[in-house]
Amino acid sequence: MKHVLLALDKSDDRAVAQAETVRDLFDPEHTTAHLLHDFTDNFEGASVGQIAAVRHAANILEDAGIAVEYHETSGTPSKSIIEAADELDVDAITIAGRKRSKAGKALFGSVSQEVILGTDRPVLVCTRKTEQ
C-alpha cells in the first residue's frame, strides 16, 4: 500500500494537477491519498472538506478508485506539510508550485522549495496539463 500526501491550497488548478498526477502514477487499488490543507488564517472555523479545491481533488481520486483521507493543520505551510508527511509516514509528497519571478521567490519564499529541501521523502512537483 502506498500513501501519498497531497499538500493542497485553495487553487483548483493546482489541486486538479496533483490529483491527476496521483491518479496517473499510482495503482488505485493500493494507494491512499492524504489530502492536507494548511489553514494559515481560519477565522471562520472552516474544515478541510469545505475547501473547494480539496473537494475537486477528492472527486478525481475517488472516481479513480483511490482511497482518500482528509487532514488539516494550521501554521507555516512548509513546516506543516513536512510534519504531516512524517506523522503519516507517507511514501511521497505532491505539491504544485506557483509561477513566480526570482525576486518574488526571494521576497516571499517558496513553500515548494522549502518542502523539497526539508524532507528526505520523494516530492512530486505537479503542473496542470495544457490542452493542445
Side-chain angles (χ1 to χ4, degrees), residues 10-68:
K10 292 184 178 181
S11 167
D12 284 334
D13 282 345
R14 290 190 291 271
V16 167
Q18 289 173 263
E20 288 176 345
T21 298
V22 171
R23 177 198 65 200
D24 295 346
L25 293 180
F26 293 90
D27 177 6
E29 293 181 20
H30 299 99
T31 302
T32 298
H34 298 271
L35 308 184
L36 172 72
H37 180 77
D38 184 73
F39 290 94
T40 52
D41 295 314
N42 189 13
F43 302 112
E44 297 86 23
S47 69
V48 66
Q50 293 175 302
I51 306 298
V54 173
R55 289 194 313 270
H56 289 140
N59 288 339
I60 291 167
L61 295 163
E62 290 171 340
D63 287 349
I66 296 173
V68 172

